[in-house]
Amino acid sequence: MILKSIFSINDRNKYIILFAAIILVYVFGMFVDVMEVDAAQYATISMEMSQTKSFLHVYEQGKDYLDKPPLLFWLSSLSFMIFGISNFAYKLPSVLIALLGIYSTYRFSLSWYSKQKSILSALILASSQALFLITNDVRTDTMLLGLTMFSAWQLNDYIKFSRFRNLLLSSIGIGLAMMAKGPIAIVVIALAFGGNFLLKREWRNVFKPQWLLLLFFVALTLVPMCYGLYTQFDMHPEKHVYGLDGPSGIKFFFWTQSFGRITGENYWSDGSGYLYFFHTILWDFQPWVFLFVPALIIKIIKLFKQKFKVDSNSEYISLCGFVLVFAALSFSNYKLPHYIFVIFPFASIITADFIYELKEKTSVKVARAMFGVMLLFWLLILVGYIFVFPPRNVILPLVLILAFSVNLYLFVKIKNPTQKIFIPTTITIVCFNLMMALHFYPNLLQYQANSQAGIYVRENKLPETNVYRYEAASHSFDFYTRTLTKYITQNDLANVKPKDWIYTDLKGLTSLEKNNVDYNLIEAFKSFRVTHLELDFLLKSSRDKTLTYNYLIEIK
């Protein structure tokens, strides 16, 4: 009787409980150490900015930095100045903007669909693997996703209600999103809404003169960043940055870094094929990808059957936003999985619409199929505990066993076929990522030597003026020592003194010995590139043979 009443209460508040559980996992992920390479690099640049107070000119270890726009560095450095330097403070601004993106997905959807579909759209986005990943391993894409979807919501409201404040907020959102990642933000908005206008033959909206006003406010938002780029780079043609002689910061931001990857002007190239994102989305949009793929196919087929003649009251912004941007990004010469995360809000809306339009018998079959797939996630948790990282205590395993029992009970008892799909699915993915945040990542990052060494240096209060880096990489080492460690070369070895400390790798240690530098080995740190996992590393039985070591030594 008590259990029945509890589940009854939970059903009435199901959405609140599910969103609260998701956000709780986000919060746990904010305390996980930052990962090499990107997140550690961005955290260290933000730390340096908070210490030097150089906000318009961005530097990395005292050298000019041009690769990414400054918004992440501005907000994370501000967070450091308020809360102190920590994992949590670095991730906080990005996670808040991600939550804004989830809410914006709900509000955008609400203007076209029912409240139930809109809530489910936000829930699908929030519970996707992509969101769990980028609220933990924070990169520029977290802010890009949140701000771009905020801009889409505001622009959609402007088109519907002609309110100036919506146009202004959309402009500011686009400008901030561009300062998070680059011109891709305005490209997403243009393709999503432009495609929708063309499908509906809304020529008045295509040639709306107010778009010039929108571009003006976008440009106004970009002024601080552009001024910083111009004074740091364009005014100094003598500089040599990223293999470029006298690069224009303005041109690099607006063209080279984004469109140059398609034209070939940007030297970054990884040989990834046009189908790259078809592979990566299979994991990044879990667990909803099994529903999204048929949803997308059905929507595209329907469009063809209609001969691209659509009802003006139908929503095609999400379809155009996903398909056209996905295609455009697939032509880039350099791709990483998180590049398409910005269009996952659109994928979520398409998926939610599909789920609620299923017939009852089909919904029941889909619910059973999804529950079967979710059993694989529970199996992954079990396999992880047995073969990868055994549990250090029984608390989390017991919590997960209880959650699995509740999930099984709910799947049997829930009568509503739509809820039968998304409630057990969401609970499963939340529990999977709870295990990742509280167990897998903390164990995994014990093998990120740079951060472990940095923590050792800080906890043992080694004097920062006497700690040097030789050969070994630096980003997370510097972040966890809370200082920019001086890098020394082979020519500097003659000047090291007794009681100096050097952080190095095996190559550096061998070099020290060849140069007859006497030292005491203080600590050896196990090392593995944790963002490029391999089966031999994951299996505890074969892990040791995959490891290398970094070293902290004291000069005699």
Side-chain angles (χ1 to χ4, degrees):
M1 195 72 178
I2 296 175
L3 277 174
K4 189 174 181 180
S5 63
I6 290 174
F7 288 124
S8 176
I9 294 171
N10 288 349
D11 182 63
R12 289 197 299 270
N13 299 280
K14 56 185 175 292
Y15 292 115
I16 294 174
I17 293 169
L18 292 174
F19 276 113
I22 290 168
I23 293 171
L24 183 63
V25 175
Y26 291 171
V27 172
F28 286 140
M30 292 168 70
F31 291 94
V32 173
D33 289 349
V34 294
M35 297 184 206
E36 297 276 9
V37 176
D38 288 354
Q41 180 186 28
Y42 302 156
T44 306
I45 291 173
S46 302
M47 179 189 74
E48 184 174 356
M49 182 178 283
S50 71
Q51 294 170 343
T52 63
K53 307 298 187 292
S54 174
F55 297 105
L56 292 179
H57 297 170
V58 183
Y59 296 98
E60 180 183 14
Q61 297 173 330
K63 298 178 181 179
D64 290 305
Y65 177 85
L66 184 57
D67 190 25
K68 291 293 186 291
L71 185 65
L72 172 61
F73 311 134
W74 286 347
L75 296 183
S76 290
S77 64
L78 178 63
S79 183
F80 288 155
M81 293 165 68
I82 296 172
F83 302 107
I85 298 170
S86 67
N87 299 322
F88 179 86
Y90 166 65
K91 298 176 184 182
L92 178 61
S94 294
V95 172
L96 291 177
I97 291 176
L99 294 176
L100 173 64
I102 293 167
Y103 179 70
S104 299
T105 301
Y106 164 71
R107 291 298 302 270
F108 171 88
S109 180
L110 192 59
S111 66
W112 294 99
Y113 302 100
S114 68
K115 186 174 182 179
Q116 294 296 319
K117 283 186 183 179
S118 302
I119 294 174
L120 184 55
S121 297
L123 184 68
I124 288 172
L125 176 63
S127 60
S128 67
Q129 278 302 114
L131 265 290
F132 285 116
L133 176 62
I134 61 174
T135 52
N136 172 10
D137 186 20
V138 166
R139 311 182 189 198
T140 53
D141 303 88
T142 316
M143 290 185 176
L144 173 68
L145 183 152
L147 291 167
T148 301
M149 201 57 210
F150 170 76
S151 304
W153 161 34
Q154 293 298 321
L155 188 59
N156 183 69
D157 278 10
Y158 170 71
I159 293 167
K160 287 206 165 192
F161 307 114
S162 298
R163 294 185 300 229
F164 174 75
R165 73 169 185 268
N166 295 127
L167 181 70
L168 178 62
L169 288 172
S170 180
S171 305
I172 294 171
I174 292 170
L176 291 175
M178 291 176 70
M179 287 195 289
K181 182 77 175 186
I184 182 62
I186 198 167
V187 170
V188 171
I189 296 296
L191 290 177
F193 284 87
N196 181 67
F197 295 153
L198 292 176
L199 282 176
K200 296 178 179 178
R201 279 69 170 174
E202 294 179 350
W203 310 116
R204 185 179 300 177
N205 278 331
V206 173
F207 299 106
K208 214 176 183 70
Q210 285 87 341
W211 299 149
L212 295 176
L213 190 60
L214 179 143
L215 291 175
F216 171 75
F217 286 122
V218 169
L220 206 59
T221 305
L222 293 171
V223 165
M225 181 197 70
C226 291
Y227 176 80
L229 287 171
Y230 182 80
T231 55
Q232 186 174 3
F233 296 103
D234 296 68
M235 289 181 64
H236 297 279
E238 74 282 359
K239 288 187 174 182
H240 181 82
V241 184
Y242 292 105
L244 303 172
D245 292 317
S248 164
I250 303 294
K251 180 185 176 184
F252 186 88
F253 171 78
F254 284 102
W255 182 263
T256 310
Q257 178 67 337
S258 296
F259 302 108
R261 298 189 181 193
I262 299 174
T263 64
E265 294 174 64
N266 190 316
Y267 64 88
W268 285 93
S269 179
D270 58 5
S272 53
Y274 297 124
L275 300 179
Y276 178 83
F277 292 125
F278 285 94
H279 307 147
T280 64
I281 197 175
L282 294 177
W283 173 252
D284 294 323
F285 202 57
Q286 284 287 349
W288 307 105
V289 70
F290 300 108
L291 300 175
F292 168 67
V293 171
L296 181 66
I297 292 172
I298 289 171
K299 196 148 190 169
I300 292 174
I301 290 174
K302 182 180 177 182
L303 189 61
F304 273 93
K305 284 183 176 180
Q306 294 172 324
K307 297 181 180 179
F308 293 89
K309 295 178 181 179
V310 301
D311 183 359
S312 61
N313 294 320
S314 300
E315 187 271 313
Y316 280 89
I317 298 169
S318 56
L319 180 66
C320 293
F322 184 88
V323 172
L324 297 179
V325 176
F326 188 96
L329 290 173
S330 294
F331 281 97
S332 173
N333 291 320
Y334 186 83
K335 307 179 189 72
L336 289 172
H338 52 269
Y339 287 5
I340 61 164
F341 289 3
V342 64
I343 53 177
F344 278 9
F346 297 137
S348 302
I349 293 168
I350 293 169
T351 307
D353 182 40
F354 171 76
I355 292 173
Y356 267 99
E357 292 303 315
L358 289 172
K359 294 179 181 178
E360 185 171 341
K361 288 184 178 180
T362 305
S363 287
V364 172
K365 292 178 181 178
V366 169
R368 290 170 181 166
M370 285 298 292
F371 191 78
V373 172
M374 291 307 99
L375 289 177
L376 296 177
F377 278 91
W378 290 105
L379 182 61
L380 276 176
I381 294 173
L382 181 62
V383 168
Y385 273 126
I386 296 173
F387 297 105
V388 183
F389 297 122
R392 296 179 180 178
N393 59 63
V394 298
I395 297 175
L396 184 57
L398 288 176
V399 169
L400 293 173
I401 291 170
L402 177 61
F404 176 77
S405 303
V406 170
N407 205 33
L408 186 59
Y409 177 91
L410 289 174
F411 178 74
V412 173
K413 292 295 182 181
I414 292 173
K415 301 303 180 186
N416 184 299
T418 302
Q419 293 182 21
K420 206 176 188 73
I421 294 173
F422 74 80
I423 291 179
T425 301
T426 305
I427 291 174
T428 296
I429 211 67
V430 165
C431 289
F432 177 77
N433 283 283
L434 180 68
M435 181 277 295
M436 295 288 284
L438 294 182
H439 179 72
F440 181 80
Y441 286 128
N443 280 282
L444 175 67
L445 288 162
Q446 296 298 310
Y447 297 92
Q448 185 169 271
N450 295 333
S451 57
Q452 293 301 307
I455 292 169
Y456 181 94
V457 169
R458 190 178 81 252
E459 289 182 347
N460 287 274
K461 299 179 180 178
L462 303 186
E464 61 183 54
T465 54
N466 292 81
V467 178
Y468 302 95
R469 183 171 54 85
Y470 182 59
E471 295 292 349
S474 66
H475 290 121
S476 61
F477 180 75
D478 286 355
F479 182 69
Y480 288 102
T481 58
R482 305 293 190 250
T483 187
L484 300 179
T485 310
K486 183 179 178 181
Y487 178 78
I488 59 174
T489 65
Q490 189 170 335
N491 294 332
D492 300 314
L493 294 180
N495 300 321
V496 296
K497 306 180 297 296
K499 301 298 182 182
D500 282 344
W501 302 73
I502 296 178
Y503 175 62
T504 189
D505 57 14
L506 181 59
K507 179 182 176 183
L509 200 66
T510 303
S511 174
L512 290 170
E513 292 170 353
K514 286 182 179 179
N515 284 273
N516 299 315
V517 176
D518 291 330
Y519 63 86
N520 290 319
L521 178 61
I522 303 303
E523 194 72 32
F525 301 92
K526 296 177 180 179
S527 180
F528 187 84
R529 192 173 180 183
V530 297
T531 53
H532 289 69
L533 298 179
E534 300 170 359
L535 183 60
D536 283 346
F537 170 79
L538 287 174
L539 296 175
K540 63 181 181 180
S541 59
S542 56
R543 184 174 301 139
D544 286 346
K545 68 181 182 182
T546 69
L547 302 177
T548 58
Y549 287 84
N550 286 7
Y551 306 92
L552 183 65
I553 64 171
E554 183 183 18
I555 303 300
K556 288 185 179 179

